[in-house]
Amino acid sequence: MTDPLLAELLELARTAAARAGALLRDGRPADLGVAATKSSPIDVVTEMDIAAEKLITGYLSEHRPEDGFLGEEGASREGTSGVRWVIDPLDGTVNYLYNLPTWAVSIAAELDGERVVGVVEAPMRGETFHAVLGGGAYVNGTALRCRPAPPLDQALVSTGFNYVATVRTHQADVAQRLIPRLRDIRRGGSAAIDLCDVAAGRLDGYYERGLHPWDLAAGDLIAREAGALTGGRPGLPADGDLTVAASPGVFEPLQKILEELGAWHD
């Protein structure tokens, strides 16, 4: 990497994610409980989500005090440098609460509104994914490439479900109508990891409605830098209405079917 700013942002993101991941992995209390709820009583925040975000924002502020922040647990600062950090300190909180291994720390850096660095730390897998705009995607230093596209009826696709019951009911209906047209559907519980698994060739595709910027910022960049296509509804970028990521050849037919099935609305 030749750009000193991007190199600096990547190193800071990797260090912050590694420190937060270690805190979450090694500091998880045996009696971990719910500290707050968000969209519904089952959409939870734990004390560890909050502690991890404080660690990340504190570390980044120490090194780049003029940068902005957008964090899932409330970190928000405009900044004056043109750099904004988009942070999910614990993606997959319910998995973490239940001591399931599929959770991650996700940190992305934007420069003048464009995502330029993404890091996803998955401590229970022993994996660190990262990407720099135009520089490719990697896991533990090994270059990533998305999977060659199979026919759609042989594609393995992951998705996620909302914690609001009425929204989840519609999402389940979409999945029920989609699954006969695919090899199968998986539901891992961490958008960041699903996006990285598309990048790593472990999934042919992924889609979900209702993601926030911190859910997808780092993983979207990692998937694209590994050769996947990402977007939302046809002609639109990935957003809260719909996020789709898939190998070229799977992306367009999957996106088209999701549009027909109304996956972009509740």
Side-chain angles (χ1 to χ4, degrees), residues 62-177:
E62 178 185 348
H63 289 83
R64 293 188 56 87
E66 297 179 355
D67 290 354
F69 291 113
L70 177 65
E72 180 175 17
E73 308 312 332
S76 180
R77 188 171 78 192
E78 284 298 320
T80 59
S81 66
V83 172
R84 183 176 77 157
W85 299 94
V86 184
I87 302 160
D88 192 338
L90 177 48
D91 186 56
T93 299
V94 172
N95 284 347
Y96 183 78
L97 179 66
Y98 278 76
N99 210 15
L100 292 168
T102 306
W103 54 267
V105 179
S106 174
I107 302 175
E110 298 173 343
L111 179 60
D112 298 327
E114 182 177 33
R115 291 175 197 143
V116 293
V117 167
V119 172
V120 173
E121 178 83 11
M124 306 308 291
R125 289 184 171 195
E127 292 181 329
T128 302
F129 297 85
H130 81 263
V132 174
L133 183 64
Y138 299 84
V139 59
N140 295 350
T142 299
L144 293 173
R145 199 70 190 165
C146 65
R147 192 177 184 87
L152 190 63
D153 63 2
Q154 297 177 31
L156 182 65
V157 173
S158 182
T159 191
F161 296 98
N162 197 280
Y163 287 108
V164 176
T166 54
V167 178
R168 191 167 65 242
T169 298
H170 176 65
Q171 290 174 320
D173 179 63
V174 169
Q176 181 182 23
R177 289 185 288 159

Side-chain angles (χ1 to χ4, degrees), residues 233-252:
R233 297 185 67 186
L236 297 175
D239 59 17
D241 286 340
L242 186 64
T243 295
V244 185
S247 301
V250 171
F251 178 83
E252 188 173 341

